Amino acid sequence: MSRPNGLSRAALRFKPASFAGTFIALAMAALIVSACGILLETGLRASVPPERYAAVPVVAAADQQAHMVTGSGESRSDSPSPVPDRARLDNSLVEKARSAPGARAAVADLTFPLQSAKGPVTAHNWGSTAFTGERLSSGAAPKAGQVVLSAGRVGDSVTLTTADGPRTFTVSGLTRAQEPTAWFADSEAVRISGHPGKIDAIAVLPEKGVSAGELKASVAKVFGGKELGGKVKVYAGQDRGAAEDGSLGFAQEVLTGIGGSFGGVATMVAMFTAAGTVALCVGQRAREFALLRAIGATPRQIRRTIATEALMLAPLAGALGCLPGIALASWWFGQLKEKGAVPDGVQLSVSWIPLVSATGAVILTALLAGYAAARRASRIKPGQALGEASVERLRPGWIRTPLGIAALVGGFFFSRLAATQTGDDAANAALGVVMCFMLSVALLGPLVARACAALFGLLLRGAGASGHLAAANSRTNSRRMASAITPIVLAMAFASTLVFMHTSEDRAAAHQQEAGITADHIVRADGGLPSDAVSRADRTPGVESAVGVLKTSVLIPAGSGGDRWLQSASAQGVSGTAKSLAQVQNLDVRDGALGLGRGEVALDASLAKNAKVGVGDRVELRLPDGTVATPTVVATYGRGLGLSQVTLPQDALAPHVTSPFSTELWTKGGTADALAPLGGQTGHVLDREAYTGAASMDRELNAWANTVMAAVLGGFAAIAAGNTLVMTVLDRRRELGMLRLIGSTRRQVLRMVGWEALLVACAGIAIGSAIALATLVPMMNGLTGENPYIPPLLYGSFAGSALALGLLATHLPARAALRTRL
């Protein structure tokens, strides 16, 4: 008899169609794994080239991560999260950096916004020109009460609005900068920046002959004392870009979230689906393996044959799948850049690591799945193998069945757990729901298929002989039917969960905004409103109340026990009285009273429950720059998703954001024409409807991300489903031909195949929808307090697509099979 590798080569050479489905499944799995791996690697290696610090070899800046530390000793855990704004250093640390051996100079750097009569102005400290290279075109460097501008005349007086209000400065000099820019004396810049005593970074310049690496080590040693606790980070080389671009941390979180969290789920689904296809292919060749056993092949030779086939097929499939995987990652990354989630300076990292990992994963999957599928055929007696190859074994597997039941029980457990949780706890538990139920469907596939065949078979009794035959075929060949149902379940469950999660959140937010916005007009300004906008609005005829709102985000602890992390929450800092706020925003206060004095905060009720705090408790917040604050909760309210989840006095937030100016002005009464001048050069006035539409755009990135992830997973599962259906139909050439020989017409056979496809598609749609609903109901009740919203037309398009896929993927190959002779 031929050697196993000879059998493998012969099978691939003379029956390539038998392996086409397996090749496609493995290539698609490699596509998903490589694309997610590339994004993960890009997130881990993400960096931006330095611009402002291009001439500075070493930069010291604050750690731009807020840390949630739990436990101690070996059980100590640190969960970092990017700060929403920018963490800053104490100005006193400049002298400490200057004392580092090898340092010639240490220069503070500070950038902050101002306002002028002509619009926003970017301000710096004059000392930073030592490394930026900016030079005077006329005049002199600024002293106290003076300013250097990019346009104007030396000696003129100019009024600029700082965080403390309008101030008048004398123009001491001019530069040739293109953008509106102002420079102040270092001490004055620190004082008027809105962050007294704080600076953005420290630029360290070396003495002659000191390398950047030596200087970095020296500065790091100076800042390595226990009193700083790792709060100062020292950068050199390409890493210097992270010191000036605060959005890099968010970009890394987005990329690692997609490549890691979503990539982990996608990889598991891809590998599981590919394994099912490999198992189906091996199972379809059971007769061939049984004949080999009958003519003397040993179990070891059968296993070697399968392994050799996997090693000949999987590497090529993996390598070819990586090519579109690179294209998918490039497109995905480009879209994230266009939407502002990733800075322009970050480049996509494509190395051998994710490509080799993807190829290795599909090889391992093919080997394990092939071994598992051929395990019984290679071990039992040749005669028994021939019998089982002719008739499908109905007895459930003693390994798969207990595991499937355990996964089913786990799904119900997580569903019940998610129903009792709120916020991120509900979302995390809901993820366990969909994964456990999907695993149970895959493991209990034959039993599920048999139950579906029995149920839908009752409905097929009225479809004549073709319907009866389709129902009987489905009951008898439940394993084949299970292989076709599982990918459709995958597509429906994941696509529905990801897409309808967004539609539910969007609808809940819209309802909350519709009920919560009681202001008549809202003035928005990209560069911030003038500092006197609220007082001027109060004096405007017809205005009953005016409230300035500073929009930002804060971090709040979530989770319980040792599993705690910092989650981002939308926040608003409001100026004015509680009475004025109540006239422009109906927050739906559930408990307490909205007073908002110094050291007080109001929280969304769901957020408060997730953080396990109530009225009268102190809650630990990380303000936008990472500063820890512990205000007292004075109220909880119900419309945080549509408005803001955290409400604080504006004075508590302003010192901890880059721009201390209000971003919005909410008014009751007045006219749009009268309010328009209050927005300054960049302001515009919106009514309630326009503001609701503009606010919903803030969720566009999340919606787009969910849609793309649904398209990636759903598309993969749909292709896998079509591939599996084609494989099952083509494997039935002998059966379909036999039906024609015993007198069935071509039309009757096609109708039978059509009814089978309808049964498979409907079963997959029903089970997938049930899994999505079991996931969405507890998740949405925890996140929004409402039931999920499923747009009928959108759901209909999902179900219709699955139905059309099932019919096309069976009808077309069946027609082709009927053209061939036995």
Side-chain angles (χ1 to χ4, degrees):
M1 199 183 88
S2 300
R3 292 180 301 171
N5 58 352
L7 290 173
S8 304
R9 289 197 301 270
L12 289 171
R13 180 180 178 184
F14 294 107
K15 298 178 64 178
S18 302
F19 299 94
T22 302
F23 186 89
I24 293 172
L26 293 175
M28 288 294 297
L31 186 156
I32 296 288
V33 176
S34 60
C36 293
I38 289 170
L39 292 179
L40 176 61
E41 183 182 22
T42 301
L44 295 174
R45 296 187 176 187
S47 63
V48 291
E51 295 180 3
R52 184 170 177 79
Y53 300 137
V56 182
V58 174
V59 180
D63 183 7
Q64 301 301 312
Q65 301 274 341
H67 299 266
M68 170 59 69
V69 179
T70 56
S72 59
E74 293 183 357
S75 61
R76 184 178 184 272
S77 175
D78 182 6
S79 300
S81 299
V83 296
D85 197 275
R86 182 185 179 90
R88 295 175 174 82
L89 296 173
D90 288 335
N91 190 35
S92 60
L93 295 179
V94 177
E95 289 299 324
K96 196 174 187 68
R98 191 175 290 129
S99 66
R104 172 173 56 85
V107 183
D109 185 38
L110 190 59
T111 301
F112 55 98
L114 297 176
Q115 294 177 342
S116 70
K118 296 181 180 180
V121 176
T122 301
H124 303 285
N125 60 311
W126 182 252
S128 64
T129 59
F131 57 83
T132 61
E134 195 66 58
R135 295 291 180 264
L136 290 166
S137 60
S138 62
K143 298 178 182 179
Q146 295 180 338
V147 63
V148 170
L149 297 177
S150 56
R153 291 191 306 175
V154 175
D156 283 355
S157 294
V158 60
T159 299
L160 299 172
T161 302
T162 70
D164 298 329
R167 292 188 57 182
T168 301
F169 300 92
T170 301
V171 179
S172 67
L174 299 174
T175 70
R176 292 189 175 89
Q178 299 298 317
E179 301 295 329
T181 313
W183 288 266
F184 298 90
D186 288 9
S187 58
E188 188 152 45
V190 173
R191 187 168 60 252
I192 68 175
S193 65
H195 322 100
K198 300 287 186 178
I199 58 175
D200 293 346
I202 303 172
V204 186
L205 305 177
E207 293 179 348
K208 189 175 182 179
V210 177
S211 67
E214 293 172 338
L215 184 59
K216 178 184 178 181
S218 177
V219 174
K221 186 175 181 180
V222 167
F223 287 121
K226 292 183 179 180
E227 69 278 3
L228 294 176
K231 295 180 180 179
V232 180
K233 299 293 183 182
V234 182
Y235 303 92
Q238 191 72 8
D239 293 340
R240 291 169 296 168
E244 62 182 271
D245 194 336
S247 63
L248 183 60
F250 174 74
Q252 289 176 318
E253 188 176 59
V254 169
L255 290 169
T256 54
I258 294 174
S261 300
F262 170 73
V265 174
T267 298
M268 186 174 69
V269 170
M271 292 298 102
F272 205 85
T273 305
T277 307
V278 173
L280 176 63
C281 179
V282 174
Q284 288 176 342
R285 298 168 61 201
R287 183 182 290 106
E288 174 186 330
F289 293 134
L291 287 173
L292 289 174
R293 290 294 315 282
I295 62 175
T298 65
R300 182 170 179 269
Q301 287 175 320
I302 298 295
R303 290 194 295 269
R304 284 182 59 193
T305 298
I306 294 172
T308 304
E309 290 171 355
L311 291 175
M312 292 173 67
L313 196 68
L316 180 59
L320 291 181
C322 287
L323 297 179
I326 296 172
L328 175 61
S330 300
W331 175 84
W332 207 335
F333 183 76
Q335 290 295 304
L336 290 171
K337 268 192 173 183
E338 285 186 14
K339 296 183 181 301
V342 176
D344 290 336
V346 178
Q347 300 298 320
L348 186 69
S349 297
V350 181
S351 72
W352 61 269
I353 298 175
L355 306 182
V356 171
S357 300
T359 304
V362 298
I363 293 174
L364 184 62
T365 298
L367 285 172
L368 294 178
Y371 272 141
R375 178 175 176 272
R376 180 172 176 79
S378 66
R379 294 182 62 182
I380 61 177
K381 296 178 180 179
Q384 188 178 356
L386 284 170
E388 290 192 359
S390 301
V391 181
E392 184 178 280
R393 187 167 60 99
L394 299 179
R395 190 178 61 192
W398 64 273
I399 296 178
R400 292 180 55 165
T401 303
L403 291 176
I405 294 173
L408 187 64
V409 172
F412 284 113
F413 170 77
F414 279 113
S415 182
R416 183 175 179 83
L417 178 63
T420 62
Q421 301 295 317
T422 59
D424 284 355
D425 287 343
N428 292 333
L431 180 62
V433 174
V434 68
M435 296 308 299
C436 283
F437 279 139
M438 282 305 314
L439 187 60
S440 69
V441 169
L443 292 171
L444 300 176
L447 298 177
V448 172
R450 205 169 301 157
C452 291
L455 177 62
F456 287 99
L458 297 176
L459 302 177
L460 292 178
R461 288 180 178 178
S466 298
H468 277 285
L469 192 56
N473 260 333
S474 300
R475 285 194 301 269
T476 306
N477 298 284
S478 58
R479 293 181 183 274
R480 182 178 67 197
M481 182 179 172
S483 299
I485 288 177
T486 302
I488 296 178
V489 174
L490 274 172
M492 284 298 298
F494 278 108
S496 298
T497 300
L498 289 170
V499 172
F500 297 143
M501 178 176 66
H502 163 67
T503 59
S504 302
E505 284 186 340
D506 204 41
R507 185 179 177 88
H511 285 166
Q512 292 184 16
Q513 286 179 341
E514 184 178 353
I517 299 175
T518 55
D520 295 319
H521 297 95
I522 298 169
V523 184
R524 302 183 76 175
D526 297 334
L529 295 167
S531 60
D532 60 348
V534 176
S535 60
R536 287 167 58 194
D538 284 329
R539 298 192 300 268
T540 301
V543 175
E544 300 174 22
S545 60
V547 175
V549 177
L550 173 60
K551 291 280 191 176
T552 183
S553 298
V554 298
L555 300 175
I556 185 169
S560 58
D563 185 19
R564 287 174 63 80
W565 66 93
L566 293 169
Q567 72 176 82
S568 178
S570 58
Q572 60 177 0
V574 297
S575 62
T577 64
K579 180 180 178 181
S580 297
L581 179 61
Q583 288 183 298
V584 297
Q585 289 186 1
N586 181 3
L587 290 169
D588 183 24
V589 176
R590 304 282 179 83
D591 194 12
L594 203 60
L596 293 184
R598 186 177 181 85
E600 295 178 341
V601 65
L603 300 176
D604 175 75
S606 177
L607 187 69
K609 186 177 180 181
N610 196 38
K612 297 175 176 56
V613 294
V615 173
D617 296 334
R618 288 188 173 273
V619 59
E620 181 182 313
L621 295 178
R622 306 299 172 92
L623 297 176
D625 63 352
T627 301
V628 179
T630 54
T632 302
V633 179
V634 296
T636 59
Y637 51 86
R639 296 193 175 117
L641 183 63
L643 297 172
S644 289
Q645 295 171 290
V646 178
T647 301
L648 289 158
Q650 185 169 338
D651 291 343
L653 279 178
H656 303 281
V657 294
T658 298
S659 176
F661 303 107
S662 297
T663 51
E664 297 175 354
L665 174 65
W666 294 49
T667 65
K668 188 72 173 177
T671 64
D673 291 339
L675 295 170
L678 302 180
Q681 296 291 322
T682 61
H684 51 281
V685 183
L686 305 173
D687 58 17
R688 297 178 193 175
E689 291 75 17
Y691 180 82
T692 300
S696 65
M697 296 297 290
D698 295 337
R699 295 185 294 276
E700 183 180 357
L701 178 62
N702 287 335
W704 175 85
N706 282 347
T707 303
V708 171
M709 288 188 287
V712 170
L713 267 183
F716 167 76
I719 294 174
N723 183 41
T724 302
L725 288 168
V726 170
M727 289 176 64
T728 56
V729 173
L730 291 179
D731 186 56
R732 298 170 63 190
R733 293 189 187 95
R734 186 183 300 273
E735 173 191 337
L736 299 180
M738 186 64 69
L739 289 173
R740 292 282 285 121
L741 288 177
I742 62 176
S744 298
T745 66
R746 180 186 179 88
R747 183 179 180 184
Q748 287 175 325
V749 174
L750 289 177
R751 286 183 62 188
M752 179 201 73
V753 173
W755 284 119
E756 289 180 4
L758 188 64
L759 192 156
V760 168
C762 289
I765 292 169
I767 298 173
S769 301
I771 292 175
L773 203 61
T775 306
L776 287 168
V777 169
M779 180 191 293
M780 289 300 106
N781 281 324
L783 291 174
T784 67
E786 300 181 8
N787 287 325
Y789 171 63
I790 301 175
L793 290 179
L794 189 56
Y795 176 78
S797 67
F798 285 179
S801 299
L803 196 60
L805 174 69
L807 292 173
L808 286 174
T810 53
H811 186 78
L812 295 179
R815 289 177 66 92
L818 288 174
R819 293 194 190 102
T820 61
R821 297 189 179 187
L822 282 174

